[in-house]
Every structure is written in C-alpha cells, then in structure tokens.
Amino acid sequence: MSIIRLDQVSKYYKSEETVSVGMKKVSLSFDLGEFVAVTGESGSGKSTLLNVISGLDGYEEGELYLFDEETSHYTIADWERYRGAYIGFVFQNYNIIDSYTVYQNVMLALEIQGYPKKDRKKRAFELIDKVGLTSHRHHKASKLSGGQKQRAVIARALAKDCPVIVADEPTGNLDSQSATQIMKLLHDISEGKLVIVVTHDYDQVKNYATRKIKMHDGEVVEDKVLHDHEIPTQINPVELKKTSFWTLTRFAVRNMFSTPKKSLFLLIMQILVIAVFTLVYTDQMKNIREEGLEQSQIFPNVPETRVLIEKRDGSEFSESEINDFKALSVVKEVYEHGSLFYNEMELSIKGSNEYSFGYIEGTDSAIVLSELEITGRLPVAIDEVVISSHWQSFNVGDTIELFNGYYYQENDNISFGTFKVVGIDNQDRNMIYFSDAYLKQDLEIDKQLDISRYENTRSSISYQMSFDFEGESVYVERSYEPIQADIVFYGTGEPTRIENQTIEIRTYSSTGIELTKTLTDISIIVYENFENEYYKRVSMDQEIYDNLVEEFMLEVEFEYMLPERNLLSLSVSGLNHGNRIIEMVDSEIYKVYYPANISSPMREVLVFLSGLLAIVLLSLFGLFLYAIVHAVTRNVMNARKKDFAIYRSIGANQTSLAKLVVIEQIIMAVVGFVLTLLILNLLSSSIPMIQKTLPYMEIQDYLILMIAFVLFGLWLGLRFNKKVFKQTVIETLSASKGE
C-alpha cells in the first residue's frame, strides 16, 4: 500500500485576469524508504506537486489518496491533522521564525506535538547537535547564515520524527559547500522515511536519490527508479496531542519577548488608548454621580472634600475613635475641631480697599491642594490662607478679614479675624483654605458662632419680608420715624388712606424656610404715584415690624439656638470617597453629614439623561480609538502571518492558533490595563485633573473597562485568525514573502 497516491491530479492558479496551470493530470505514488528527487525547470510544477502532496495547498481535479483514503472531502482541520502527524518541512526560503533562537524553533515542534515535557530539552539539544549547530543554539535565527538556517529547519523537521519529509529547493540559496552538507544531512536522516526533495540541480542529489521524477509544464515527463529501497513494515506517525493552555501561554509570552520592539510598541499604544479612554470614562462617571446634587442649607459651607461626623449621644470623640477614622483608606486627615471650618453659616471676605470683597461658597483644609494648583505657596501659620482666583481683586500678600453674612451687611457682621493670603488657587472654586495650624488649634468659638447664626437668621427674615398688594409683591422696610399709618407706601402725589385691611406677610429663614403671618385691622397709606413702579416698597410701623421679626425668629429658633456640637471634619478626595465613608461608618453610633451630597428632586431624571449622554460620547470616542488601535494592531499582526503559517506547517491546528492569539491579546490587554492604572495613580499626585477624577472609579468600573479591553483584543485576535485560515499555508507564505 502506497502512503501517498495521486490519480490524475490537477492544480490551477487563478488571478483576476488569468488562470495558470500548476500541474496537470499527474498520477504518482510514493512509499516509505524512498528518497525521491523531483527536478525540472522553474515553473515546471515541481513545487506545486510538493505542496499538494504535503497538504500545504489544495487541488482542483483528480484525487489524492492517503493510505488509500480519498482526500477531496478533506477540510482545513483534516489537512492540519495530516500535516501534524505525517509531514516534516524543509523550505528553500527556510521559513524559520526569525525572532526565535535555534533552540526555540526546535522546541516549538516538540511542544506542538506534545513531546514529553521532561525529555524536550534533551531531545532539542540532541537534534541541534546532530545538525552541527550546538554553538549557535541560543542565537536568533535572524543572525544565522543561510546554511545554518537550513540546518535549523532540518532539526525542527526531525523534532517531529514524522514518516514523511518534504524539502523544496533546500539548497537553492546556499553555496556549494553548504548545499553538499545539507543534502548529505537529509540522506542521513532518510532511513525508514519518505523523503521528497525538489531541486533544480539534480547533480546535488543524484548520489542519494532512489528515484527521479522530472516535470515540465505541470506534467510528469519522467519517473525513474534509480535504486531499490527497503519498504518499512510499520508506519509511525506523530501522535497528535491537544496543546495545553499552559503551553500556549508559554508560546504567547515567548512571542512577546522574542519581538521586544513590536511588543513594546503595541504595549505603549495600548497604554495610551486605555489611559485616554479611562480618563474620559472617569470624567463621565464623575458627571453622572455629581448630577442633581445640591448643597445643604444647614451646612452651606462644606464642600465635597469634607464629611462631618458626630456621635449620636453628642459626646466627645475619644483618641482611639479619632485614630480609627484616620486609619480609613479614603480619609486624608481628621480635624477634631470641625467648627473651625465655619460649617453652618454664610461667610464673606473683604480686603483693604472697598473693591476687595467676596462671598465664600466653602471652606477647606489646604491639605486637599497641591503646589501645582496654586500661585504662591500653601499656608503654614495660623493666620495664613489660600483663596480662590474667583476673586480677582485679591493677590498674594494681601490681608483679608473673614466675617459672617454678606459683605454688604456690615452692621450685622461678626469678624472671625484677619488672615494673610499666601497662595491663590488657580481653579475657580470660590473657596478659602486654612492651614493645619489654624484648624487644629483648640479654640472655643461656639458662643461666637451662636451669635453669628442668630444674626444670619434675623438678617434673612428682615430683608425678605413682603406681602401682595393689588396682585403685586410689595417689600417691607422698618420705619425709623413715626408714621401716620401702620404701613405707608413710598410715593408722591395725593395720599389715600385705607383702613381695616388684612394682609399676609411672608419671608424666608437663612435656610430657605418660608414663614408667614397674617395681620388684621391694618391701616395703609397709598400715594397717587409710586416711587418706583418696578420695585414697590413700604415703610412699616417700628413696633409692628419688630414684633413680626421676633415672632418669625421664634418659629425658626432651631436654626440658630444650636447646642454645642462635637463635630469631626474628615478630609477626602471627592464625592466617591465621601460616599464610601457613609458606608464604612457605624450608623448606630455616629451621624454622618455629607452636605455636598444632597439629592435634588430631579436627580434621578438628570442622572438618567447624563447616563444616556455618556453612553453616546463613550461610544463615539470608543469607535475613534478603535479605528486607531485596529489599524496599528492589524499591521503588526499581518507582519506575523509568516510565523503563523510556519506554526501550521509544523502541525498547529486552527483551534490552537486561535487560542494562542486570544491568550496573547488577553495578556497584552491585562498588562496594558494594569500598567495604565499604575501610571495614572502615579501621575495623580502631580496632575490635579487625574487626582480629582480617578477616585470616582469603583471596582465595578475597573472590571467593566478591563473586560471591554480584553474583549476588544479577543475580537481583533479572532478576526486575524479567521483571516489567516481562509488561505492555505502556501498562499499565506507567498503573501508574506511579497509583503
């Protein structure tokens, strides 16, 4: 029984314009023990014959039999199994993996066939020694001479120990001495095997050939037996074993380290893409999680970087409790005297001239700032502060006064001292930042704060009193002179007196609570012409006015008659860490106030809309980055087509190569993602934008991004693998050679 038999087999090559004949109506059979020389001029079809016999290329007509079994129905997987079990290759162009060493090229064949792990290294060294490359076994193939490369390929073919070895012009690129050595080496290993050598120089092989086949124009014109040969009674195909996950992982790691420049280039590109997308993603997450949040009216001065905590029983915090809060990973610092931040009042600042003033939206510790964010320096002394660039009238070196209320209510203000501006916050955050020396001093200001709260509430009630008259709002002022009625409108012309009126006075407390009182039997004087048609004002009798204010004050006494409070102020990086504190703290023992995180009634709707916008933006941005990554990765992977064709010629099947590509992409994505996060965290200490947004990333966000990048890499790998296996090995090698 012949191991290989061709019956009227034809092979055609098609292009867009022509169809050419590779070989035509060829009928041949081959047995083990033969050393066959196939000769002929260039283009005669000898290489085509070899490629069809070895399963590297298909055929269009006739039938190829393997062990008397038809192959016309063979799938790609069937040809892979055939090549893996029976065929070893030696090519004219070496088709060696240039980025591998000689040892790695030989080991590749041993690993793919599942050679016993404990014997692989010894077997590889034996084969390398047999072909005379012991001194070069750790040299990269790209550094070898032509003869050395061909020897390495023969060692790799021998590593499979398969029954058939095909050699396509194995000496075509070698000098005569190297060619003689290679041909002798092929003869030395041919015992018990079928060796088919395609050559254009028959003289090189005539001393070893047992059979000569000559081809011309795709046809066999001579088939001559030169010597008798012994036919082995037993065929020993390579036993194909499934390539393990760990073996493929080893291949993947080896591939990356064997081409360090390409791998580094891809890794840098991955890091850049992942970093950019991660920053855009975190910025969108920040917007979503901050959407629809309002500032507490009870604690109007507390920004998102501070969380307030007090014990439910109102007692002081012990040293161990304070240390426990300091130990929390999301806490930057703990301030025992939280009231020094002026949490519960409206604050303003004014400078040395009448144009230097401003309203403060929040107070904080300078610990949340970095030197890069400010002009000047961070505060150190008790009387030093950093203020926002929001107030352009202040400069480094100015002295400012901090007081309660609004800057235009000077008669009602209480001063909290003067401070020296040592730094300007370059971000427009409308904040004032105190030094640790100030915030950690043991200063009793509760009595002063009670006065301030009282004055704030009284001012708010006094300045917002109004009532409706003839369908319009009229604003009430206190009369400092006796008047002729309970209420007198400001105006000119003839007055009209109206008696026995009932009116409803309304106003608002400092926290925005609406208050109302009904007055009866009121006398009103209205003049013919109003003083101001657009802003109608009245003067109210002193006694009535003062009584009204006192009654309103009694209704909101809880706003300013606050008990002395033991508040801790915890500094955090932002809303994400602030919310994590709420989850960490034992709510049965402590009250946690996060004034910058109060949900508005429309929060759910706003979050939903922000989420939709984020999906659109991230999708568009992702597509843009995908186009870049796809173009670069495709070019890099296309450059590896030759290597994958060599894998296939050695015996790797489509499933194994698909897994290999997937593992490579997953490793690259995971390594790139981890390195990106490390780099971003390192940069966050010096780049404020990263420092502010990165904390919004939660574990699920990291997992979402990593899975997305891994799936993207997986998709690229599978697409590449599918494209490679659409071609035969020869088509892939030819395309790679052309590229």
Side-chain angles (χ1 to χ4, degrees), residues 423-458:
I424 302 294
D425 175 18
N426 296 325
Q427 304 295 318
D428 187 5
R429 288 181 278 215
N430 199 353
M431 300 278 292
I432 185 166
Y433 302 90
F434 298 107
S435 66
D436 267 19
Y438 179 80
L439 294 172
K440 292 186 176 182
Q441 63 182 324
D442 191 1
L443 183 64
E444 294 185 4
I445 62 171
D446 290 303
K447 184 176 180 181
Q448 189 179 33
L449 290 177
D450 282 340
I451 296 172
S452 172
R453 297 185 194 105
Y454 178 85
E455 295 298 339
N456 278 343
T457 304
R458 189 178 184 87

Side-chain angles (χ1 to χ4, degrees), residues 75-86:
T75 63
I76 289 177
D78 293 327
W79 286 115
E80 286 171 350
R81 283 191 290 272
Y82 164 65
R83 285 197 303 270
Y86 294 98

Side-chain angles (χ1 to χ4, degrees), residues 674-692:
V674 171
L675 288 177
T676 301
L677 294 186
L678 290 174
I679 292 169
L680 289 178
N681 277 281
L682 288 173
L683 292 176
S684 66
S685 59
S686 55
I687 301 179
M689 187 272 288
I690 299 177
Q691 186 182 48
K692 299 300 182 186

Side-chain angles (χ1 to χ4, degrees), residues 50-51 54 56 88-96 149-150 153-154 156 166-173 645-646 649-650 729-730 733:
L50 199 69
N51 293 335
S54 60
L56 292 176
F89 296 91
V90 181
F91 297 98
Q92 175 183 3
N93 294 315
Y94 318 124
N95 287 336
I96 194 168
K149 285 183 179 181
Q150 203 64 287
V153 171
I154 292 173
R156 188 180 69 194
V166 295
D168 186 8
E169 300 280 7
T171 61
N173 293 329
I646 293 171
S649 71
I650 294 172
V729 174
I730 289 300
L733 290 172

Side-chain angles (χ1 to χ4, degrees), residues 248-316:
L248 292 172
T249 302
R250 220 170 29 250
F251 288 173
V253 174
R254 180 192 301 162
N255 288 340
M256 286 188 282
F257 279 99
S258 65
T259 54
K261 291 182 180 179
K262 288 181 181 178
S263 298
L264 184 60
F265 173 73
L266 277 176
L267 186 60
I268 291 173
M269 183 200 66
Q270 289 255 18
I271 289 173
L272 289 174
V273 169
I274 293 173
V276 172
F277 191 82
T278 299
L279 290 175
V280 174
Y281 180 88
T282 55
D283 184 63
Q284 291 303 310
M285 290 303 101
K286 177 178 181 294
N287 292 339
I288 291 172
R289 287 166 187 160
E290 290 184 358
E291 193 68 70
L293 295 179
E294 296 178 346
Q295 184 70 35
S296 167
Q297 296 298 316
I298 298 174
F299 297 104
N301 235 18
V302 183
E304 65 184 41
T305 49
R306 286 202 296 118
V307 178
L308 304 178
I309 296 180
E310 70 176 340
K311 298 177 74 170
R312 289 197 174 274
D313 61 9
S315 62
E316 294 184 0

Side-chain angles (χ1 to χ4, degrees), residues 263-543:
S263 298
L264 184 60
F265 173 73
L266 277 176
L267 186 60
I268 291 173
M269 183 200 66
Q270 289 255 18
I271 289 173
L272 289 174
V273 169
I274 293 173
V276 172
F277 191 82
T278 299
L279 290 175
V280 174
Y281 180 88
T282 55
D283 184 63
Q284 291 303 310
M285 290 303 101
K286 177 178 181 294
N287 292 339
I288 291 172
R289 287 166 187 160
E290 290 184 358
E291 193 68 70
L293 295 179
E294 296 178 346
Q295 184 70 35
S296 167
Q297 296 298 316
I298 298 174
F299 297 104
N301 235 18
V302 183
E304 65 184 41
T305 49
R306 286 202 296 118
V307 178
L308 304 178
I309 296 180
E310 70 176 340
K311 298 177 74 170
R312 289 197 174 274
D313 61 9
S315 62
E316 294 184 0
F317 290 89
S318 66
E319 185 175 348
S320 63
E321 287 177 309
I322 293 172
N323 290 333
D324 287 343
F325 284 118
K326 287 182 178 179
L328 294 177
S329 59
V330 294
V331 174
K332 290 186 174 184
E333 186 58 274
V334 176
Y335 296 95
E336 298 178 51
H337 309 291
S339 56
L340 284 168
F341 283 95
Y342 309 103
N343 304 303
E344 299 145 304
M345 67 194 75
E346 306 288 351
L347 293 177
S348 294
I349 57 174
K350 62 181 178 181
S352 56
N353 64 68
E354 59 180 318
Y355 301 106
S356 300
F357 48 76
Y359 163 63
I360 298 172
E361 289 185 354
T363 60
D364 211 340
S365 166
I367 195 174
V368 301
L369 298 172
S370 71
E371 294 282 359
L372 297 173
E373 292 181 274
I374 64 172
T375 299
R377 63 175 176 84
L378 296 174
V380 177
I382 287 178
D383 64 343
E384 293 179 342
V385 294
V386 168
I387 65 172
S388 172
S389 59
H390 178 80
W391 307 298
Q392 299 180 4
S393 55
F394 294 104
N395 298 295
V396 173
D398 287 354
T399 298
I400 63 169
E401 183 182 3
L402 181 64
F403 55 94
N404 75 301
Y406 298 94
Y407 55 82
Y408 51 78
Q409 299 172 346
E410 296 187 8
N411 294 332
D412 298 323
N413 293 335
I414 296 175
S415 174
F416 297 124
T418 58
F419 299 86
K420 182 179 179 181
V421 178
V422 296
I424 302 294
D425 175 18
N426 296 325
Q427 304 295 318
D428 187 5
R429 288 181 278 215
N430 199 353
M431 300 278 292
I432 185 166
Y433 302 90
F434 298 107
S435 66
D436 267 19
Y438 179 80
L439 294 172
K440 292 186 176 182
Q441 63 182 324
D442 191 1
L443 183 64
E444 294 185 4
I445 62 171
D446 290 303
K447 184 176 180 181
Q448 189 179 33
L449 290 177
D450 282 340
I451 296 172
S452 172
R453 297 185 194 105
Y454 178 85
E455 295 298 339
N456 278 343
T457 304
R458 189 178 184 87
S459 295
S460 178
I461 289 172
S462 299
Y463 283 96
Q464 298 187 80
M465 285 174 56
S466 66
F467 66 92
D468 291 334
F469 182 77
E470 294 182 353
E472 297 185 61
S473 290
V474 179
Y475 294 90
V476 179
E477 297 178 356
R478 180 181 186 275
S479 172
Y480 290 94
E481 301 288 341
I483 55 177
Q484 297 174 348
D486 297 327
I487 293 176
V488 177
F489 277 77
Y490 290 97
T492 59
E494 291 296 324
T496 300
R497 188 180 183 92
I498 306 172
E499 300 287 351
N500 302 319
Q501 292 296 300
T502 298
I503 61 174
E504 184 179 73
I505 302 291
R506 62 176 174 271
T507 189
Y508 298 89
S509 72
S510 58
T511 60
I513 297 174
E514 184 176 9
L515 306 170
T516 60
K517 287 288 181 185
T518 301
L519 300 180
T520 59
D521 198 24
I522 296 297
S523 59
I524 301 174
I525 294 178
V526 182
Y527 285 88
E528 185 178 359
N529 300 310
F530 291 113
E531 181 183 71
N532 189 323
E533 286 288 342
Y534 301 101
Y535 185 72
K536 297 182 174 63
R537 298 180 301 138
V538 300
S539 178
M540 180 178 282
D541 178 77
Q542 299 177 25
E543 184 177 354

Side-chain angles (χ1 to χ4, degrees), residues 558-629:
F558 62 90
E559 287 193 8
Y560 55 89
M561 295 296 289
L562 298 175
E564 185 174 337
R565 305 178 74 167
N566 296 305
L567 279 174
L568 287 184
S569 180
L570 277 55
S571 284
V572 296
S573 61
L575 279 168
N576 184 59
H577 285 175
N579 287 324
R580 288 180 63 186
I581 288 178
I582 296 174
E583 298 171 359
M584 293 177 176
V585 172
D586 187 345
S587 60
E588 293 184 1
I589 302 175
Y590 305 102
K591 293 179 182 179
V592 182
Y593 304 103
Y594 200 5
N597 192 24
I598 307 300
S599 296
S600 70
M602 291 292 292
R603 174 166 167 73
E604 291 187 5
V605 175
L606 294 173
V607 168
F608 175 76
L609 294 175
S610 293
L612 287 180
L613 179 61
I615 290 172
V616 173
L617 291 176
L618 289 172
S619 298
L620 293 174
F621 198 72
L623 288 173
F624 171 71
L625 293 178
Y626 156 76
I628 297 173
V629 176

